[in-house]
Amino acid sequence: MLTSHIRYLQSRLAALGHYAGPLDGQRGPLTDAAIRKVLPLLGQPLPPGWQGWTPRRQATAALQALARAEGLNPGPIDGWWGPQTDYTVTAMMTRAETGRLPDWRDIRPGTANPHGWPRESEVSAFYGPHGTPEGRRPPLVKVPSPWTFRIAWNLAQPRSFLWAHEKTAASLTRILARIHQHYGEARLRELRLDIFSGDYDPRLMRGSQTKWSMHAWGIAYDFDDTENRLNWGADRARLAHPEYRPFWEIWEAEGWVSLGRTRNYDWMHVQAARPD
Ligand SMILES: [Zn+2]
């Protein structure tokens, strides 16, 4: 749950006449009291014992109940903030703002290619041979990151750099600097853009016996795989949400390609190669 979600909840509580505090996106005693009063009034069945939930969980339940009352499907009203709740609440806010729900077909990925990144079928000609599990490596450079990553499979483990093919290292350096400048460290963490799920990896493409993954050249990155699963579309993937548009536009201005934004799958992934 982000401050923007809480600010939206405060505006709904105010519209219902139960909240007169600031719309500041911070839960305080006024907000929490209003949530407890409004929750049973939203016309949605609540699980027994909800009165004993933490204020944060009650706030989540209030957003779930508001979405359900508007005909959206946040899943069960359980007060837990998962990807389904996140998507539905964000969609409800988009509709309040624009009058319609978000739609993947509305996305227009950038088509700039200032560095002439090759097509996928021509990556070997452009970048040279891919790495292999036996130890052959493409020419890799350590690009320091302006913010600290956490490793997805061990969040306690920090990572301060990304491996990059030497031909993409300068571009990656600019991209990381722009992303950091746009969002700032705290917001990057809040958006889970600090969760590193993969860079150089000498492996075959998932589901293929013969095609090498773009990761095997050190020209692809994965972010936050738990909330952007391989087969999820924009209806579930977190990186499809509107607050990530600047993130993607920064990559696309340098010619990189999001498989999510161009093909609506593998939203975790971005690469310096154009799909064939
Ligand atoms: Zn990937």
Side-chain angles (χ1 to χ4, degrees):
M1 191 166 28
L2 306 175
T3 54
S4 55
H5 297 129
I6 295 169
R7 191 178 304 118
Y8 175 77
L9 177 57
Q10 287 170 329
S11 72
R12 295 291 300 265
L13 295 169
L16 291 165
H18 290 284
Y19 178 72
L23 307 181
D24 58 1
Q26 307 295 323
R27 272 194 309 97
L30 278 179
T31 310
D32 291 345
I35 290 166
R36 274 193 299 280
K37 207 185 292 176
V38 163
L39 248 181
L41 306 176
L42 294 175
Q44 303 302 318
L46 298 168
W50 68 269
Q51 294 92 338
W53 292 352
T54 62
R56 179 188 164 81
R57 195 171 165 195
Q58 289 176 349
T60 300
L63 284 164
Q64 290 171 332
L66 283 165
R68 180 78 66 80
E70 286 192 17
L72 301 172
N73 177 19
I77 296 176
D78 57 7
W80 299 121
W81 192 272
Q84 180 72 21
T85 297
D86 187 274
Y87 174 75
T88 308
V89 170
T90 304
M92 173 168 66
M93 289 163 58
T94 300
R95 186 162 67 182
E97 210 174 289
T98 68
R100 48 200 288 265
L101 293 169
D103 186 331
W104 173 70
R105 286 160 296 193
D106 294 340
I107 296 172
R108 297 277 173 271
T111 54
N113 191 9
H115 312 298
W117 303 140
R119 306 201 75 75
E120 282 182 10
S121 53
E122 290 156 4
V123 284
S124 285
F126 185 85
Y127 291 113
H130 58 76
T132 63
E134 292 73 36
R136 186 179 76 198
R137 277 167 78 107
L140 296 173
V141 177
K142 257 187 191 183
V143 170
S145 173
W147 70 96
T148 305
F149 287 104
R150 295 177 285 163
I151 311 265
W153 52 93
N154 177 12
L155 292 174
Q157 193 183 331
R159 174 82 119 80
S160 61
F161 66 90
L162 297 176
W163 285 113
H165 191 283
E166 64 181 12
K167 288 196 171 184
T168 59
S171 173
L172 180 69
T173 302
R174 284 190 293 273
I175 288 166
L176 295 178
R178 284 176 196 149
I179 290 170
H180 182 250
Q181 189 184 16
H182 179 85
Y183 288 103
E185 187 105 20
R187 183 75 173 143
L188 284 166
R189 279 184 82 89
E190 189 179 44
L191 292 177
R192 299 170 61 86
L193 287 172
D194 65 330
I195 298 185
F196 165 89
S197 294
D199 54 1
Y200 171 66
D201 191 359
R203 63 170 167 83
L204 292 168
M205 205 173 267
R206 289 196 179 88
S208 170
Q209 307 296 315
T210 52
K211 278 190 81 177
W212 286 84
S213 163
M214 294 296 116
H215 290 279
W217 280 270
I219 59 165
Y221 302 93
D222 294 329
F223 300 96
D224 192 12
D225 62 311
T226 53
E227 299 207 0
N228 299 278
R229 307 260 179 195
L230 192 60
N231 296 316
W232 285 4
D235 57 327
R236 298 186 74 185
R238 179 187 257 275
L239 281 161
H241 294 177
E243 58 267 35
Y244 297 93
R245 206 173 73 193
F247 172 78
W248 290 122
E249 287 173 349
I250 289 165
W251 287 100
E252 286 166 359
E254 288 273 334
W256 295 63
V257 176
S258 152
L259 294 183
R261 279 164 64 87
T262 55
R263 293 169 165 189
N264 200 23
Y265 76 96
D266 202 0
W267 277 90
M268 73 179 91
H269 176 99
V270 65
Q271 63 182 40
R274 324 287 290 179
D276 287 313

